[in-house]
Amino acid sequence: AWFTFDELCKRPLGAADYIAIAQRFDAVICANVPQLCGNTYNEARRFVTLIDALYEAQTRLVISSDVAVKNLFVGFDAQLETADGDEEIALQEQPKQRPNGDEESLVVGEG
């Protein structure tokens, strides 16, 4: 299924919505993911909830963004922890050039 970031994270959706998406599709593409910061806190929170729901359902996630994955979240004080011993999501950044010369980051992850 192909969605834009705005369709998934700028609307008032919650965990139940994302779980329903994860149960319906084997893979989700989320296009146009912006850089997330304190000014986009609600959208960032929804995006993390989406990632969690997809991870738990073992649904593949592909995102496209104009920023590198390491710069996707800025201005947040957070660290990655796991208490259940599960493997973390393996992210693979695949930069590609757009026709206008700009670089786009494509991140592919699998839980």
Side-chain angles (χ1 to χ4, degrees), residues 12-81:
L13 301 177
D17 300 303
Y18 300 136
I19 290 169
I21 290 170
Q23 290 174 340
R24 181 160 183 200
F25 302 107
D26 293 329
V28 171
I29 298 169
C30 184
N32 305 321
V33 178
Q35 188 171 51
L36 300 165
C37 63
N39 293 333
T40 56
Y41 174 79
N42 288 328
E43 291 88 348
R45 183 179 48 81
R46 289 185 191 112
F47 188 57
V48 169
T49 302
L50 169 67
I51 292 170
D52 286 344
L54 296 175
Y55 176 79
E56 289 297 320
Q58 297 182 344
T59 300
R60 293 176 189 262
L61 172 64
V62 177
I63 67 169
S64 71
S65 180
D66 288 334
V67 297
V69 69
K70 66 183 176 185
N71 298 324
L72 200 56
F73 293 91
V74 295
F76 291 99
D77 184 24
Q79 62 186 48
L80 183 62
E81 292 183 17

